[in-house]
Amino acid sequence: MPFIAGAIGYLTKLAAIKMMFRPQKFRGIGKLGWQGIIPRRAPQMVEVLCQTLTGRLISAGDIVDRVDSRELARRIERPLRKEVARIVPIVAEEYQPALWHVLPGPARDMVVQRAQEIAVELIPKFVKQLRKNIDDVFDLQEMVTAEFLADPDILERMFLDVGRREFAFIRQSGLLFGFFIGFIQAAIWALFHEPLVMPIFGLFIGWFTDWAALRLIFNPKEPKKYLGIVTWHGLFLKHRIPVSEEYGILIGTRVLTSEKIIASMFTGPRAPEVADLFSGVIRKALREELADVETLVRRELGRLGFDELEEAGLVGQGAVSSVLGALTGAVTRPLRNVTGSGLDLAQVDPMARTAAKEFVAVLPDVLADSLGHLDAQLQIKETMAEKMKAMTPDEFEGVLRPAFQADERTLIMVGALLGFLVGELHVQLVEHFSR
């Protein structure tokens, strides 16, 4: 009986742990069936986990603050220049078609080249704007929640990897507790030979071993001596250092990677807000730099002989004169004071918005070769581990505890029911072989 009781304790724990994760989708007939506790309660668990993660461990500001904007600009210069060369003609043809088509090829190339130089210079300014407004344009908790819910395997791996010591203890404690309770069961059976003893004890073993194991994982929060002999410390808290490191590795490699952060920020639901933020930076740069473009126009049109262009009807009557008139007396970035020129200044704002939208859309590709560098700069794994180690026992418990708390009673009842059924099978076998 002690051996059967130990087997009941062990097998009910195996079943209970399995039923936490499987099946991932409901299986059954009508309402009679089962779905793994963690898949079924994933939204609620993820909400609690993400509140802990983004509320206590790391913030969007922490992430952006670690980016070295000048080093980043240096690393992405080549792909950035390539995209700027594609974007500038698109924007120019849409918002400054007359002037763009008047420019000869070399002049257009010079405009593109200058735009490429400006784009590289603007990267630190973009990062600065992100730092100042990160909470307005990026919701880290929303991003982490979406990552967890999009890939159920992340949540499962978190509990199986980070909590593997605790799950091993649950299995082993079921075997140990069940074995010793089996001696009491054997004594009562010897005295009364009552068939109900075994299923009732099976129920008790299944219930008690689950209940005791869950309590011993999380309690006590500080080491405590019992009976003056045994010192016990809740396993999860006792192993907080390796748990912190493993949790940091999981989050840093599966959830908060630079690739996923960039994708969420620049292609997610708030990407238009990021584009609006960047458009202000681009608009200012445009207003400061368009004077150089006008100077270029004057020189290039002068080479071509602008009078001949007007006479030939290649440009509208007075258009070139309008450009030159606007440039009269222009020295050192005068565009802020210019009104009514060949350049349609009313289009500066939409030009900036379109350029920003195009820029944000291609940023994930531009940054693709710098992901390893960004991951090293962000130090998500190290940050998570250090902050978890600094948590209070109550805060630390909140990292893994929600998985067990979500349906703790259900787990215990399942263990009790399985124990009862095995106990009933046991009594049937005993009665059969004793005949």
Side-chain angles (χ1 to χ4, degrees), residues 127-138:
V127 175
K128 183 179 180 180
Q129 285 299 310
L130 269 180
R131 285 195 184 110
K132 290 170 60 177
N133 302 276
I134 189 64
D135 292 329
D136 296 327
V137 298
F138 180 60

Side-chain angles (χ1 to χ4, degrees), residues 107-108 158 265 326:
R108 293 185 189 181
M158 189 186 78
M265 187 178 295

Side-chain angles (χ1 to χ4, degrees), residues 145-186:
T145 301
E147 287 297 328
F148 269 113
L149 294 179
D151 186 359
D153 182 61
I154 298 177
L155 192 61
E156 181 176 327
R157 289 261 54 91
M158 189 186 78
F159 291 114
L160 287 177
D161 292 349
V162 178
R164 69 180 184 279
R165 301 172 192 83
E166 288 67 36
F167 287 125
F169 172 76
I170 289 175
R171 294 192 297 269
Q172 295 161 6
S173 65
L175 178 63
L176 186 63
F177 289 148
F179 180 76
F180 285 110
I181 293 172
F183 284 103
I184 302 173
Q185 180 185 12

Side-chain angles (χ1 to χ4, degrees), residues 34-284:
W34 186 261
Q35 181 183 9
I37 291 171
I38 287 179
R40 178 160 55 89
R41 298 293 296 271
Q44 297 93 320
M45 291 183 189
V46 166
E47 182 180 359
V48 175
L49 286 167
C50 291
Q51 287 173 354
T52 301
L53 178 62
T54 60
R56 299 174 183 172
L57 298 180
I58 197 164
S59 67
D62 293 335
I63 293 173
V64 180
D65 285 344
R66 291 195 174 96
V67 177
D68 184 337
S69 57
R70 297 196 178 279
E71 175 63 17
L72 181 64
R74 186 187 70 79
R75 286 177 174 270
I76 68 172
E77 181 173 354
R78 180 174 294 179
L80 180 61
R81 283 177 174 272
K82 180 180 178 181
E83 290 299 335
V84 170
R86 181 186 64 83
I87 292 172
V88 167
I90 294 173
V91 176
E93 288 183 1
E94 181 174 356
Y95 296 102
Q96 304 286 350
L99 185 57
W100 185 252
H101 290 298
V102 164
L103 286 176
R108 293 185 189 181
D109 292 341
M110 292 179 68
V111 171
V112 170
Q113 183 178 353
R114 180 55 186 155
Q116 290 172 324
E117 294 169 356
I118 294 170
V120 175
E121 295 169 1
L122 288 183
I123 294 299
K125 295 180 180 180
F126 289 149
V127 175
K128 183 179 180 180
Q129 285 299 310
L130 269 180
R131 285 195 184 110
K132 290 170 60 177
N133 302 276
I134 189 64
D135 292 329
D136 296 327
V137 298
F138 180 60
D139 189 331
L140 182 63
Q141 183 172 332
E142 181 181 274
M143 176 247 169
V144 173
T145 301
E147 287 297 328
F148 269 113
L149 294 179
D151 186 359
D153 182 61
I154 298 177
L155 192 61
E156 181 176 327
R157 289 261 54 91
M158 189 186 78
F159 291 114
L160 287 177
D161 292 349
V162 178
R164 69 180 184 279
R165 301 172 192 83
E166 288 67 36
F167 287 125
F169 172 76
I170 289 175
R171 294 192 297 269
Q172 295 161 6
S173 65
L175 178 63
L176 186 63
F177 289 148
F179 180 76
F180 285 110
I181 293 172
F183 284 103
I184 302 173
Q185 180 185 12
I188 294 176
W189 172 263
L191 288 173
F192 301 103
H193 288 279
E194 172 57 53
L196 283 175
V197 166
M198 280 184 279
I200 290 174
F201 262 86
L203 184 148
F204 175 75
I205 292 168
W207 169 82
F208 177 78
T209 52
D210 272 346
W211 176 86
L214 290 170
R215 292 299 175 275
L216 290 172
I217 287 174
F218 297 103
N219 294 290
K221 294 181 176 63
E222 299 292 345
K224 186 176 180 180
K225 185 169 285 188
Y226 294 91
L227 303 174
I229 303 173
V230 179
T231 299
W232 189 260
H233 188 195
L235 289 181
F236 188 56
L237 294 159
K238 180 180 179 180
H239 299 136
R240 64 187 302 166
I241 292 178
V243 166
S244 298
E245 292 171 350
E246 290 159 5
Y247 188 77
I249 290 172
L250 179 73
I251 298 299
T253 57
R254 297 289 298 272
V255 181
L256 286 179
T257 64
S258 60
E259 182 179 12
K260 291 186 177 182
I261 292 170
I262 288 168
S264 177
M265 187 178 295
F266 300 124
T267 64
R270 296 199 179 189
E273 296 172 37
V274 179
D276 288 342
L277 186 68
F278 286 177
S279 70
V281 178
I282 294 174
R283 180 170 57 250
K284 183 178 179 182

